[in-house]
Amino acid sequence: MERKHMSALALYQTLSSDSPPPKKASLLVSHKKKRKNGVSKISTLKTQSKPNKKKTGKKVIKSAQKEESLMETTEMQEDPGSGDAEDLHVFLSGLAEVNNSRERASRLFQWLISPVPAKSFFRETWEKKPVYVKRNNPNYYKGLFSTAEFDRILRQEDVQYGVNLDVTSYTDGTRKTHNPPGRALPFTVWDFYENGCSLRMLNPQAFSSTVWNVLSILQEHFGSMAGANIYLTPPGTQGFAPHYDDIEAFVVQLEGKKHWRVYNPRTADEVLPVFSSPNFDQAEIGKPIMEVLLEAGDLLYFPRGFIHQGECLPDTHSLHITISSYQKNSWGDLLQKVVPAAMEIAMEEDVEFRRGLPLDYLTYMGVQNSDKDDPRRKKFFSQIECLMTKLANYAPVDAAVDQKARDFLHDCLPPLLTSEELASSVKGAPTRWEQGRATDVGSQITTQTRVRLLRAGFARLCSDGEEVQLYYTTDNSRVFHKEELKSLEIKTEMPWSFLSRHIPNF
């Protein structure tokens, strides 16, 4: 009897009746436009309708889809040749010659969203509405990542299902994850792909030096961790259900094309959400406010909270990278560090916070008493309001900001040093073993030596009580939080030579 081949997907479905819970993704979607050579089209929403609730307080789907002429298209002439295929690495090499790392980060971000001016982007678009950049230049992002690089990583690196790679599908309204255990080998991964499954690489910066370089520079511009996922989708398929994310998303189309639909947040509670959403049914999200076709070289940005989904056209695959930032980087996230510390200080320093509660407060406060018209309740709320006002006087804002800074530094990728940075740091020191002895040992620093930080954002002084610590990112891993954040206690008597020996890349 002839033995028939069973695909990886069929084998997985046979062995596992229960699919693992799906992970959140940054989805994609688009729509065809007329092309004009050398012209970039920028599509944005004229207005973003404010989310609303019915008077009953129930959540309702927004009615923004009823508005006509939601989209305005601005045509901008792009600098000819600015996105040529071979120019990405040339552009990055040029950035390496910029000594000011913040200027370097600013230029890279401007390249990412060009021709949209960065200042107007942050003033008018950031956290407010989606924007679509149509470049008609398929080579603009070429060199950032490719399917060939995807294949190389599968062959040469230890890619693990569920850790570095997800295999997903979205068919007939059902989202599934098909991750087997163990290493993701090309034989199995490409079999999943050929059977209509999407592939999501969760941390490409761990395997691609170019992605690592780009993200490590952009994180300084955002002042927040910059992350990325790679999405490879077969023709005529969709890998993820509609959902929204808790990050600002920049969808960069690298190969092929993908049809995207973007929807307004459904309610006020879902504007700039703290957490990503579950998967939605199509009936829950209404009509899209933006529908575009992303082709190679195009860009789509949408803020956290905007529902999105993307599907591949029947005639070609799609490869894109979603660059993300600003996860848990809101005023509320800062206040979560400020308020508990302020309470601790206020309790210690102000007797008003230590006075006892009224003997009978349980008889008129609490949910069971919330409908009572009791003057004691008004007095109780007045006292709470008074204490909350006083609490601001004890808020250790700078200390809380330092806590946020430490978290950020721990999240950061290590810098990919330029040749000049390498040559002027301890990692580029000429110390070596030669002719039976160690040569060029010891620091070359004198009282005349000029000392500077290689990057403006790679180290920060923070006070931990009575100690002052210098935290730095140069020993971080390209894998998120694989290493603990490194620091060094700073004492007034420490010479610069000590710092150069103990802090890599200082």
Side-chain angles (χ1 to χ4, degrees), residues 388-400:
M388 291 293 289
T389 301
K390 292 185 70 175
L391 187 64
N393 299 325
Y394 301 100
V397 176
D398 285 325

Side-chain angles (χ1 to χ4, degrees), residues 370-422:
S370 59
D371 292 334
K372 288 184 178 179
D373 184 15
D374 191 319
R376 293 175 298 175
R377 286 180 59 82
K378 294 181 180 179
K379 184 177 180 181
F380 194 94
F381 279 116
S382 177
Q383 179 63 7
I384 291 291
E385 184 177 351
C386 177
L387 292 175
M388 291 293 289
T389 301
K390 292 185 70 175
L391 187 64
N393 299 325
Y394 301 100
V397 176
D398 285 325
V401 168
D402 279 347
Q403 287 184 35
K404 282 285 292 176
R406 286 198 296 272
D407 292 344
F408 167 50
L409 291 178
H410 193 197
D411 294 344
C412 276
L413 285 164
L416 178 59
L417 299 183
T418 67
S419 55
E420 182 180 348
E421 289 172 337
L422 193 63

Side-chain angles (χ1 to χ4, degrees), residues 64-336:
Q65 63 268 19
K66 296 180 181 179
E67 300 181 8
E68 296 181 356
S69 303
L70 279 175
M71 304 293 296
E72 65 177 359
T73 300
T74 304
E75 294 188 2
M76 300 184 67
Q77 188 71 33
E78 199 157 16
D79 181 19
S82 64
D84 290 347
E86 55 280 276
D87 281 355
L88 174 57
H89 291 292
V90 174
F91 175 72
L92 292 175
S93 297
L95 281 184
E97 297 176 3
V98 178
N99 288 327
N100 186 320
S101 62
R102 286 178 177 157
E103 174 64 21
R104 191 185 307 163
S106 178
R107 292 188 190 183
L108 181 58
F109 180 74
Q110 183 58 76
W111 168 83
L112 177 70
I113 65 169
S114 176
V116 181
K119 286 186 178 180
S120 64
F121 172 82
F122 283 108
R123 182 178 63 250
E124 301 167 6
T125 304
W126 177 253
E127 293 189 328
K128 297 181 181 71
K129 59 187 179 182
V131 66
Y132 163 56
V133 178
K134 175 78 173 167
R135 288 202 176 86
N136 298 305
N137 184 351
N139 295 326
Y140 190 82
Y141 294 117
K142 191 172 181 180
L144 180 55
F145 198 86
S146 66
T147 47
E149 179 77 350
F150 203 117
D151 184 67
R152 180 201 66 79
I153 291 170
L154 291 176
R155 294 180 180 282
Q156 298 179 6
E157 305 287 353
D158 182 17
V159 178
Q160 295 287 318
Y161 286 112
V163 178
N164 313 114
L165 186 76
D166 282 332
V167 179
T168 70
S169 65
Y170 179 68
T171 307
D172 298 329
T174 302
R175 158 79 165 85
K176 291 184 179 180
T177 301
H178 308 282
N179 292 340
R183 182 177 171 182
L185 294 169
F187 178 84
T188 309
V189 172
W190 293 126
D191 191 80
F192 273 121
Y193 175 84
E194 285 298 309
N195 279 275
C197 292
S198 290
L199 307 176
R200 174 173 62 179
M201 187 170 289
L202 299 171
N203 53 341
Q205 61 270 24
F207 307 111
S208 166
S209 293
T210 303
V211 175
W212 169 27
N213 191 17
V214 167
L215 296 181
S216 68
I217 297 173
L218 285 177
Q219 67 192 8
E220 190 166 335
H221 187 73
F222 290 122
S224 177
M225 183 188 77
N229 288 340
I230 299 285
Y231 298 84
L232 178 58
T233 309
T237 68
Q238 181 169 336
F240 297 89
H243 69 280
Y244 62 73
D245 294 309
D246 59 349
I247 46 89
E248 302 298 298
F250 296 85
V251 179
V252 174
Q253 191 70 23
L254 302 172
E255 295 176 12
K257 35 180 113 163
K258 202 163 202 178
H259 176 238
W260 282 85
R261 284 168 286 176
V262 183
Y263 309 75
N264 266 332
R266 302 178 305 167
T267 68
D269 292 343
E270 294 179 357
V271 174
L272 303 179
V274 177
F275 303 106
S276 296
S277 74
N279 296 324
F280 293 123
D281 293 329
Q282 300 293 337
E284 296 179 277
I285 58 179
K287 294 183 179 179
I289 57 166
M290 177 180 278
E291 189 167 2
V292 293
L293 180 70
L294 281 195
E295 298 182 275
D298 295 347
L299 172 73
L300 176 63
Y301 159 80
F302 44 81
R304 54 198 189 275
F306 277 76
I307 300 168
H308 51 278
Q309 62 176 321
E311 60 184 342
C312 236
L313 301 186
D315 60 336
T316 183
H317 73 282
S318 170
L319 178 74
H320 81 268
I321 181 171
T322 297
I323 296 174
S324 62
S325 192
Y326 256 60
Q327 187 180 51
K328 294 180 172 54
N329 201 42
S330 67
W331 285 101
D333 291 301
L334 176 61
L335 286 172
Q336 285 182 336

Side-chain angles (χ1 to χ4, degrees), residues 406-414 470-488 504:
R406 286 198 296 272
D407 292 344
F408 167 50
L409 291 178
H410 193 197
D411 294 344
C412 276
L413 285 164
L470 181 66
Y471 294 91
Y472 54 93
T473 67
T474 52
D475 278 347
N476 284 8
S477 171
R478 290 162 67 176
V479 177
F480 184 69
H481 286 190
K482 184 178 180 180
E483 303 289 342
E484 293 297 323
L485 179 62
K486 304 298 189 297
S487 69
L488 180 69

Side-chain angles (χ1 to χ4, degrees), residues 361-372 377 380-381:
Y361 81 101
L362 292 178
T363 65
Y364 57 86
M365 296 305 300
V367 174
Q368 70 179 36
N369 300 307
S370 59
D371 292 334
K372 288 184 178 179
R377 286 180 59 82
F380 194 94
F381 279 116

Side-chain angles (χ1 to χ4, degrees), residues 457-474:
F458 100 110
R460 184 181 180 93
L461 277 174
C462 298
S463 175
D464 292 337
E466 298 179 357
E467 296 181 347
V468 175
Q469 298 282 337
L470 181 66
Y471 294 91
Y472 54 93
T473 67
T474 52

